[in-house]
């Protein structure tokens, strides 16, 4: 029984690490997408570009890159963040963008 456990245990640990790494990457992507959408909502309500970037960074994390621009009458919020853990060394980045039409002013 001990020999079988010694053969199987490294595979189980490797599988667990792979699953946790994939879950971490998925969570980072969801956070980045939520941050872009929240930033676009704030921009649509008339917040300044600095406040929009602050809202997005609050949700995505302080190390996230946030770009707020305007294109074709829309406000575009792009958020990106490097993946953590073993994927950081691979240079992978979670990215998302959202656009919103600003609400008409008074």
């Amino acid at each position: 029984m001990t020999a079988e456990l010694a053969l199987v245990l490294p595979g189980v640990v490797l599988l667990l690490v792979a699953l946790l790494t994939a879950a971490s990457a998925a969570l980072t992507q969801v956070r980045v997408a939520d941050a872009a959408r929240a930033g676009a909502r704030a921009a649509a309500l008339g917040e300044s570009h600095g406040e929009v970037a602050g809202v997005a960074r609050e949700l995505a994390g302080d190390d996230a890159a946030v770009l707020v621009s305007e294109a074709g009458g829309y406000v575009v919020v792009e958020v990106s963040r490097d993946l953590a853990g073993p994927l950081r060394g691979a240079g992978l980045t979670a990215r998302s963008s959202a656009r919103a039409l600003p609400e008409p002013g008074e």
Side-chain angles (χ1 to χ4, degrees), residues 16-89:
L16 183 60
V17 168
L19 287 172
L20 291 175
T21 300
S24 173
L27 180 62
T28 300
Q29 181 61 43
V30 168
R31 287 182 68 189
V32 165
D34 285 346
R37 282 193 291 266
R41 277 193 301 272
L45 295 174
E47 300 292 340
S48 70
H49 287 198
E51 291 172 349
V52 169
V55 166
R57 272 196 197 89
E58 184 177 325
L59 291 173
D62 291 333
D63 58 342
V66 179
L67 175 65
V68 181
S69 61
E70 296 181 26
Y74 287 88
V75 177
V76 181
V77 180
E78 298 176 43
V79 181
S80 63
R81 182 178 180 192
D82 291 336
L83 296 179
L87 296 177
R88 181 180 299 268

